[in-house]
Amino acid sequence: MQRTFTVENPTGIHARPARKIVEAAKSFDGDVFLEKGGSRFSAKSLVKVLSVGAKQGDAIAVIAEGEGAEAVIDAVGAVLVLQESH
């Protein structure tokens, strides 16, 4: 299962939202990936999530398979579209 989200945060995906993505992904038993520009990154690794280099306006696909995939995609997607005020 896959869904694409647009990064809304003006500062992109930096340490704080990346940590939230990893926490959401680790709550899921299966694999969770972020995909940007044809490259795929594990959403369970803070280093990998930061290495996506997601900036405001970037389209990021969230990919997960298995039981609960839709819920983890929703949780990760919610972080991607969250607009932080700081």
Side-chain angles (χ1 to χ4, degrees), residues 29-49:
D29 286 337
D31 292 328
V32 184
F33 298 99
L34 301 180
E35 192 171 272
K36 177 185 167 214
S39 295
R40 190 175 279 200
F41 306 85
S42 171
K44 293 187 175 187
S45 163
L46 184 61
V47 171
K48 298 286 187 193
V49 171

Side-chain angles (χ1 to χ4, degrees), residues 2-61:
Q2 171 175 327
R3 199 165 333 132
T4 301
F5 299 88
T6 301
V7 177
E8 300 291 339
N9 190 329
T11 57
I13 300 303
H14 52 84
R16 189 177 304 116
R19 194 173 321 110
K20 290 179 183 175
I21 289 170
V22 171
E23 286 170 3
K26 282 187 173 180
S27 71
F28 180 66
D29 286 337
D31 292 328
V32 184
F33 298 99
L34 301 180
E35 192 171 272
K36 177 185 167 214
S39 295
R40 190 175 279 200
F41 306 85
S42 171
K44 293 187 175 187
S45 163
L46 184 61
V47 171
K48 298 286 187 193
V49 171
L50 288 169
S51 69
V52 172
K55 298 188 179 4
Q56 184 180 33
D58 285 350
I60 306 292

